[in-house]
Amino acid sequence: MKNNNPKFYTRLKYLATISSTLLSIWFVLLIIGVFKNSLSWIVLIAIGSAFAFITLISLALYFYLRFKFMHQSQYEHTKKDLLKWSLAMISYSLGWLFAIINLMVILAHDKISILNLKIILIVMGIIMIIFFVLASILEMMSRINEHSFFNQQEYQMLQEQKKRKKKDIISNENLSNETYNHRTKEAEIFLKKNNKNPFTDENNRKEGE
C-alpha cells in the first residue's frame, strides 16, 4: 500500500506535536509549582510521569509510521531529506530525555537545595523546548520536497480526470447528435412514404370520373 496523500503526513505530524506540547505544558506547570508552591510534588510527579508515558507512545508511533510510509512512498528521498529526518528524530528523543531528567530531579527534590532545584529545572526545561522546536523545524524541512512531489502528482491526476470527464461529455454529445440526426432522417423517410394530400386524391378521383 502506497500513501501519497500529503495531508496524511500533516496529520501524522500531530503525534509529534502532541508529544512536545504535553511536555511543554508540564514544564510550565513545573515552574508554576516550584516558584509559587501552588502544586504539590506528588501532583507534579504524577502529571510528569503520565505526560512522559503518553509522549513516549506518541513519538514511538510517529517514528514507526513515518519510517514505514517513507519507504512505501513513490518519492525518492534525497540524502539531505534523510539527514534532516534523522536529526529531527534525534532532537525529539533528546527533548524527551531532558524531560525525564527533570522528572528525576523532582523525584530527588528533597536532596537538592531549592535554589539549585530551580536552576536545574529551568535549564533542563529550556533545553527540552529548544530540542522540540528544532525537531519540529527539521521534520518540516525534511518533507518539503516530498509534499511538493505529492502535490504535483495530485494536480496532474486532477487534470487527467478533468480531461477524461471533458472527453466523456463531448463523446456523449456527439452520440446524442448522431442519434438525433439518424432519427430525423428516418422520420423524414417515413413521412415521405406515408404522406398523402387529401386535395390531390380528391382531384384525381374527379378526373377519373
Side-chain angles (χ1 to χ4, degrees):
M1 183 182 70
K2 294 184 177 181
N3 196 319
N4 296 326
N5 187 354
K7 294 180 181 179
F8 170 80
Y9 292 96
T10 303
R11 296 190 189 102
L12 185 61
K13 174 69 167 56
Y14 292 154
L15 286 173
T17 302
I18 290 172
S19 301
S20 57
T21 302
L22 285 177
L23 290 180
S24 298
I25 291 173
W26 178 64
F27 173 64
V28 173
L29 294 176
L30 193 60
I31 296 301
I32 294 174
V34 172
F35 280 83
K36 293 188 176 182
N37 296 321
S38 57
L39 296 172
S40 66
W41 293 112
I42 296 176
V43 173
L44 291 173
I45 292 171
I47 294 174
S49 300
F51 282 6
F53 178 75
I54 294 172
T55 299
L56 178 63
I57 299 300
S58 297
L59 286 177
L61 185 61
Y62 168 72
F63 291 156
Y64 170 74
L65 291 176
R66 185 72 176 96
F67 184 77
K68 177 182 177 181
F69 289 111
M70 277 176 65
H71 282 272
Q72 292 179 345
S73 171
Q74 293 179 351
Y75 173 74
E76 294 184 4
H77 296 83
T78 63
K79 290 183 178 180
K80 289 184 178 180
D81 292 335
L82 295 175
L83 177 61
K84 292 172 185 176
W85 161 240
S86 300
L87 291 175
M89 284 196 300
I90 293 172
S91 297
Y92 275 124
S93 301
L94 288 174
W96 183 83
L97 181 61
F98 276 96
I100 295 300
I101 292 174
N102 257 351
L103 184 59
M104 294 175 65
V105 170
I106 295 176
L107 289 171
H109 67 276
D110 54 341
K111 298 178 182 179
I112 306 173
S113 66
I114 189 65
L115 179 60
N116 290 334
L117 181 65
K118 291 178 180 179
I119 293 173
I120 293 173
L121 292 178
I122 291 174
V123 172
M124 295 295 108
I126 291 175
I127 294 174
M128 177 195 73
I129 292 175
I130 290 174
F131 273 120
F132 280 143
V133 172
L134 180 62
S136 181
I137 294 173
L138 288 170
E139 197 279 337
M140 180 182 65
M141 292 175 63
S142 70
R143 54 188 170 87
I144 289 177
N145 294 332
E146 190 175 15
H147 271 221
S148 178
F149 173 78
F150 290 152
N151 287 330
Q152 187 176 5
Q153 275 197 332
E154 187 176 7
Y155 174 77
Q156 291 176 352
M157 183 180 67
L158 290 174
Q159 292 301 314
E160 290 177 359
Q161 288 178 352
K162 287 181 180 179
K163 288 180 180 179
R164 286 197 297 268
K165 188 175 181 180
K166 188 175 181 180
K167 286 181 180 179
D168 291 340
I169 292 173
I170 294 173
S171 178
N172 290 333
E173 288 179 351
N174 291 336
L175 182 62
S176 298
N177 291 334
E178 290 177 1
T179 303
Y180 174 78
N181 293 333
H182 181 69
R183 289 180 177 177
T184 302
K185 289 180 180 179
E186 288 182 345
E188 289 178 353
I189 294 171
F190 177 78
L191 289 174
K192 286 180 179 179
K193 288 182 178 179
N194 296 277
N195 186 23
K196 294 183 179 181
N197 191 328
F199 298 103
T200 304
D201 293 343
E202 186 177 353
N203 291 333
N204 290 335
R205 283 197 300 270
K206 287 181 179 180
E207 290 177 358
E209 292 175 355

